[in-house]
Amino acid sequence: MAKDEQNARKALESRRAELLSLSRMAAGDNAPVALDQQSVGRLSRMDAMQRQAMSQEQERRRALELRRIDAALERLDEGEYGECDSCGEEISDKRLSVDPAAHLCIACARMGEH
């Protein structure tokens, strides 16, 4: 395995562990909000619901990033890391250094923006 691939694997696995840790720490923030008006005022409930919604969105984004990381690790295992999923061309080292989970070259990524 090339040194760049070893560095990419290390970065991907480190970020994966960080995301999983964040998910475990935030697990309680996704709990249903109690509607008992005796123990919690209306504004407090609204704040709790807003925190819950923000936590759920953060968890959705973490899950998406975890899927990207897992796919990149799979490409590493299969010897396809650094190849664009769309055109098959090599993804630049600079792009991979910024985003080790990138699966598209910059040209194909730009085409997908439209």
Side-chain angles (χ1 to χ4, degrees):
M1 178 182 297
K3 185 175 181 175
D4 289 342
E5 289 181 354
Q6 289 175 341
N7 290 338
R9 181 178 295 280
K10 185 177 179 180
L12 289 164
E13 289 175 347
S14 175
R15 181 63 179 152
R16 187 176 194 287
E18 179 184 357
L19 290 168
L20 291 172
S21 177
L22 287 170
S23 287
R24 284 191 296 273
M25 289 189 308
D29 294 340
N30 291 326
V33 176
L35 297 178
D36 180 10
Q37 291 186 7
Q38 301 302 323
S39 63
V40 179
R42 180 174 176 230
L43 290 177
S44 295
R45 270 196 327 277
M46 290 175 64
D47 286 343
M49 290 169 64
Q50 184 177 16
R51 282 192 306 275
Q52 178 191 39
M54 289 178 0
S55 177
Q56 288 171 342
E57 177 59 19
Q58 288 172 336
E59 186 59 31
R60 185 193 69 77
R61 290 178 186 206
R62 279 191 292 269
L64 178 63
E65 188 173 354
L66 282 168
R67 284 193 299 273
R68 290 181 70 240
I69 288 170
D70 288 342
L73 289 168
E74 188 175 314
R75 288 192 302 276
L76 274 166
D77 291 339
E78 294 173 356
E80 298 174 356
Y81 183 76
E83 295 175 13
C84 178
D85 282 353
S86 182
C87 69
E89 293 294 320
E90 187 174 327
I91 300 172
S92 74
D93 290 338
K94 185 176 179 181
R95 179 165 171 76
L96 290 172
S97 70
V98 172
D99 180 7
H103 65 100
L104 297 174
C105 68
I106 196 70
C108 291
R110 283 187 178 145
M111 286 181 9
E113 291 176 354
H114 303 296

